[in-house]
């Protein structure tokens, strides 16, 4: 079994910064794509940023230039540095990882989510 645990959420003022972390643990042979998604109240879950196992990245247009995704393969951890935060960034942020537990098939796993609130 694979678990993803997020941390780093909280309350921040507009223009502020937060760094989210997501650590994968359990039976892991390899991890392909890792990413961050978010869901605001009354809205569908949306992509924030993803990073491949060779560090290729993709961002939602709404966060380009403000958010930076990175990963530490030795720690099975993905990060997102969020700068110049806006009230519209308020959401529950979820980590997702595509993991091969035993070197054969890949499976998609989600974290439990961490709340980010941007408000003065």
């Amino acid at each position: 079994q694979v678990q993803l645990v997020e941390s780093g959420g909280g309350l921040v003022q507009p223009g502020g910064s937060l760094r989210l972390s997501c650590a994968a643990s359990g039976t892991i042979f390899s991890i392909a794509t890792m990413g961050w998604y978010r869901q605001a109240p009354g809205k569908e879950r949306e992509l924030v940023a993803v990073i491949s196992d060779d560090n290729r990245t993709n961002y939602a247009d709404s966060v380009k230039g403000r958010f930076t995704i990175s990963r530490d393969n030795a720690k099975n951890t993905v990060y997102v540095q969020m700068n110049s935060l806006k009230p519209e960034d308020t959401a529950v942020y979820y980590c997702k990882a595509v993991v091969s537990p035993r070197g054969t098939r890949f499976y998609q796993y989600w974290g439990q989510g961490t709340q980010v609130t941007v408000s003065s």
Side-chain angles (χ1 to χ4, degrees):
Q1 192 59 279
V2 174
Q3 299 82 37
L4 300 181
V5 178
E6 299 118 333
S7 60
L11 173 64
V12 63
Q13 292 186 342
S17 298
L18 282 175
R19 187 192 193 210
L20 305 183
S21 301
C22 171
S25 62
T27 304
I28 298 173
F29 179 82
S30 65
I31 303 178
T33 301
M34 303 185 82
W36 290 94
Y37 294 72
R38 66 187 181 187
Q39 188 167 18
K43 294 188 176 182
E44 294 187 353
R45 191 172 298 187
E46 63 177 5
L47 170 74
V48 175
V50 293
I51 184 167
S52 68
D53 53 358
D54 59 353
N55 290 319
R56 288 175 289 120
T57 59
N58 189 34
Y59 295 90
D61 287 343
S62 59
V63 307
K64 283 180 181 177
R66 300 188 298 123
F67 291 13
T68 302
I69 190 170
S70 61
R71 63 190 283 173
D72 184 335
N73 292 327
K75 296 180 179 180
N76 291 333
T77 299
V78 63
Y79 309 94
V80 61
Q81 177 67 42
M82 305 186 295
N83 298 328
S84 302
L85 282 161
K86 305 174 181 180
E88 51 263 44
D89 293 318
T90 295
V92 178
Y93 283 70
Y94 296 92
C95 169
K96 187 181 84 171
V98 178
V99 179
S100 176
R102 303 187 186 282
T104 53
R105 296 179 61 182
F106 281 86
Y107 301 88
Q108 183 173 282
Y109 297 90
W110 289 90
Q112 80 286 354
T114 185
Q115 177 70 45
V116 171
T117 302
V118 185
S119 175
S120 56

